Amino acid sequence: MAAVAAATRGWRLLVLLCTAVLATAGAPQPPNIVLLLMDDMGWGDLGVYGEPSKETPNLDQMASEGMLFPSFYSANPLCSPSRAALLTGRLPIRNGFYTTNAHARNAYTPQEIVGGIPDSEHLLPELLQKAGYTSKIVGKWHLGHRPQFHPLKHGFDEWFGSPNCHFGPYDNRAKPNIPVYRDWEMVGRFYEEFPINLKTGEANLTQIYLQEALDFIKRQQMKQHPFFLYWAIDATHAPVYASRPFLGTSQRGRYGDAVREVDDSVGKILSLLRNLGIAENSFVFFTSDNGAALVSAPKQGGSNGPFLCGKQTTFEGGMREPAIAWWPGHIAAGQVSHQLGSIMDLFTTSLSLAGLKPPSDRVIDGLDLLPTLLQGQLTDRPIFYYRGNTLMAVTLGQYKAHFWTWTNSWREFKQGIDFCPGQNVSGVTTHTQEEHTELPLIFHLGRDPGERFPISFVSAEYQDVLSRTTWIVQQHRKALVPGQPQLNVCNQAVMNWAPPGCEKLGKCLTPPESTPTKCLWPH
């Protein structure tokens, strides 16, 4: 750890020195940062990860020119908590993107949720301003839709996209369609000014988002400004969509069409960086917010490769993500790193690239990956898997210990909602919440990536892993200060309709006179 810390300090000093020298010469330093965040894309969706149709040539080439991470994780098996973790470098349990309503419940921000990213959190674009960056988000924000949670109030200079996913269409009376914004101005709504044909899957949104990215890069290059582009598109989130030239072109159906258009778009972004002569001054990272949504498979969901289950679960398929780092001239080509990585590392690594230090007044869970990216170093660190405010599992090295197992409820399962279709592992993929805190289920992910064969409780291997895991979890819980939960409360007045289950719950609170009626979110 001391060697890693020294290497990190040395790199920061080098970045600061280079920035000072190059600023004098008028060169755009520090490096540009481009984070490409997909929505519900699975670990097994790219050719470089073994997808048999091999329909992602640009992303495969990106991996061949950079570094591939086979063991990279989201911070949550659901969209908005994972995005909050990326931009704060902190687990959702710390930054408030979780719920305490019922045990181990996932929670997110549909229109009726009134919470969002707290002002007390320092987001990446806000901190990058100190190093002269101009920042833009393209696509899905998902950190709150009320005015105080707007991206431009949290460090971004530009925004084109939506506060939520492209759900709908709705009736636009009792429940309006979801808005699309350019900065502060609402420029239309999904299914209206921004049409999505649910029958054919045709939508031009990915092309619009691509053009927004290309135009932003060109403008910042002309201004000689370092920039941060957060390209958070949602074509691979059900209902999946693609533009007409890509529809019907994939062996994988409509979901594959969406992936092919994403791949083509990433290729165009990397080509522009090369053509502008700024590829060697641009750090690009590609990943996803959570695993493939198998509940939407096979037509509307992706592949998690050999891993168990998918989105909404804390099995590997729910949180292990595709991940590629690209920085020509700095990251040696064709590398594969077995560093345990996290989406929160993008926060810390981006600050390091900018010559900045993370905030010192709070716990930052993200690791600086520069020693890994530039020198191939590996750092021991745990990966924590949360659902709601419940620690479900932890991974150390190749070992993963489950303290709780659960897919989804019997009620949902009987309605046809299945987070693990075709993957029934007795005693593991349970539809009741099973506690294993005294004797966790432990798997060796190298030998058993599908989490099918728990290590014997009586083995020396189990006892060794248990002792190490117990200590790590004790230290984690001892230092944990949960943030104020942002996803507990729904507001029936926000959309002028009652969220499913609110009437049945019967637990509406009596708010201050100036606040509309609130209802505890039951899911």
Side-chain angles (χ1 to χ4, degrees):
M1 292 297 288
V4 172
T8 302
R9 288 194 298 270
W11 170 252
R12 284 200 185 111
L13 179 60
L14 178 61
V15 169
L16 288 169
L17 290 172
C18 289
T19 300
V21 172
L22 292 171
T24 305
Q29 285 289 326
N32 308 309
I33 300 168
V34 180
L35 302 184
L36 307 171
L37 184 70
M38 302 302 103
D39 202 338
D40 293 3
M41 181 175 278
W43 188 95
D45 277 335
L46 308 185
V48 70
Y49 283 101
E51 204 291 313
S53 64
K54 304 296 182 185
E55 293 178 344
T56 53
N58 294 292
L59 285 162
D60 297 349
Q61 181 177 343
M62 180 182 178
S64 72
E65 295 174 354
M67 180 176 285
L68 188 73
F69 288 86
S71 302
F72 193 88
Y73 292 86
S74 65
N76 192 270
L78 211 61
C79 302
S80 59
S82 186
R83 292 160 192 266
L86 186 158
L87 291 174
T88 64
R90 287 154 54 81
L91 285 164
I93 190 68
R94 300 193 207 274
N95 64 39
F97 261 69
Y98 67 99
T99 180
T100 58
N101 290 338
H103 182 261
R105 293 285 178 174
N106 289 322
Y108 54 100
T109 55
Q111 296 292 81
E112 62 272 13
I113 289 288
V114 298
I117 194 69
D119 284 339
S120 58
E121 291 297 321
H122 297 315
L123 271 63
L124 179 57
E126 173 190 352
L127 297 172
L128 288 175
Q129 288 176 347
K130 300 174 184 177
Y133 280 77
T134 301
S135 299
K136 177 163 185 165
I137 171 175
V138 176
K140 178 174 161 183
W141 170 239
H142 218 195
L143 300 188
H145 61 275
R146 302 171 89 194
Q148 65 266 39
F149 306 127
H150 193 287
L152 270 61
K153 281 201 169 184
H154 293 272
F156 283 101
D157 300 291
E158 299 181 22
W159 179 31
F160 182 88
S162 176
N164 209 319
C165 205
H166 54 283
F167 301 119
Y170 301 124
D171 61 18
N172 219 15
R173 295 185 297 275
K175 188 173 184 181
N177 285 321
I178 292 167
V180 176
Y181 287 86
R182 180 176 297 283
D183 300 332
W184 288 103
E185 180 184 0
M186 191 182 82
V187 293
R189 293 182 182 273
F190 290 135
Y191 300 97
E192 297 175 36
E193 291 80 5
F194 298 92
I196 303 170
N197 188 318
L198 293 182
K199 184 176 181 180
T200 65
E202 182 178 352
N204 207 39
L205 285 166
T206 300
Q207 292 303 308
I208 295 172
Y209 293 148
L210 171 62
Q211 197 59 51
E212 288 289 326
L214 300 179
D215 290 347
F216 175 73
I217 292 170
K218 291 174 185 175
R219 288 200 313 273
Q220 300 315 309
Q221 170 61 7
M222 289 180 65
K223 294 177 182 178
Q224 297 291 289
H225 284 172
F227 61 81
F228 168 45
L229 172 62
Y230 176 45
W231 199 62
I233 66 170
D234 63 358
T236 47
H237 187 299
V240 298
Y241 60 78
S243 61
R244 185 173 298 177
F246 292 91
L247 285 175
T249 64
S250 171
Q251 297 182 52
R252 304 179 64 192
R254 189 180 298 177
Y255 181 86
D257 296 340
V259 172
R260 290 198 69 237
E261 186 166 16
V262 166
D263 177 77
D264 181 77
S265 298
V266 171
K268 287 183 169 64
I269 290 172
L270 299 185
S271 291
L272 177 63
L273 295 174
R274 291 190 192 95
N275 293 338
L276 292 176
I278 57 174
E280 293 192 0
N281 197 43
S282 298
F283 173 79
V284 184
F285 202 98
F286 177 95
T287 190
S288 177
D289 61 351
N290 48 249
L294 300 186
V295 69
S296 304
K299 293 184 179 180
Q300 299 274 324
S303 167
N304 293 314
F307 302 116
L308 186 61
C309 298
K311 178 181 178 178
Q312 302 218 35
T313 78
T314 48
F315 299 108
E316 289 298 283
M319 290 182 59
R320 197 186 288 217
E321 312 303 331
I324 304 169
W326 185 86
W327 192 12
H330 301 271
I331 298 174
Q335 294 188 82
V336 176
S337 174
H338 293 285
Q339 171 69 51
L340 288 184
S342 167
I343 202 167
M344 296 177 290
D345 300 343
L346 300 179
F347 173 90
T348 313
T349 304
S350 295
L351 292 179
S352 187
L353 286 165
L356 301 171
K357 293 182 178 180
S360 59
D361 62 344
R362 63 200 61 207
V363 173
I364 299 296
D365 297 291
L367 180 72
D368 183 359
L369 291 177
L370 281 182
T372 298
L373 295 166
L374 303 178
Q375 301 159 18
Q377 294 186 19
L378 299 179
T379 302
D380 288 334
R381 59 95 66 89
I383 297 292
F384 297 106
Y385 304 68
Y386 273 90
R387 282 178 74 162
N389 61 344
T390 302
L391 179 61
M392 303 287 287
V394 63
T395 284
L396 290 173
Q398 293 276 39
Y399 292 98
K400 181 176 181 181
H402 287 271
F403 311 115
W404 290 85
T405 52
W406 186 41
T407 58
N408 60 327
S409 69
W410 277 114
R411 178 181 60 83
E412 292 175 319
F413 183 69
K414 290 175 181 178
Q415 294 172 349
I417 300 171
D418 190 356
F419 295 163
C420 312
Q423 295 180 306
N424 179 30
V425 181
S426 179
V428 178
T429 56
T430 56
H431 293 291
T432 55
Q433 297 174 1
E434 300 293 333
E435 185 174 4
H436 313 280
T437 52
E438 294 299 321
L439 285 175
L441 297 181
I442 298 179
F443 299 88
H444 187 285
L445 296 177
R447 301 191 300 257
D448 178 25
E451 298 170 274
R452 296 179 179 275
F453 307 104
I455 296 171
S456 172
F457 295 140
V458 298
S459 67
E461 181 181 23
Y462 181 92
Q463 295 302 321
D464 175 62
V465 176
L466 178 62
S467 64
R468 291 190 286 124
T469 299
T470 300
W471 186 85
I472 287 289
V473 171
Q474 286 174 346
Q475 296 304 306
H476 172 68
R477 286 180 169 148
K478 188 176 180 180
L480 181 63
V481 179
Q484 181 68 31
Q486 295 294 308
L487 307 182
N488 274 2
V489 180
C490 65
N491 184 331
Q492 297 182 28
V494 169
M495 296 290 285
N496 194 30
W497 74 297
C502 268
E503 301 91 344
K504 297 178 184 177
L505 191 63
K507 291 185 179 178
C508 284
L509 308 176
T510 302
E513 291 183 4
S514 60
T515 307
T517 301
K518 298 175 182 178
C519 180
L520 290 180
W521 185 247
H523 298 299

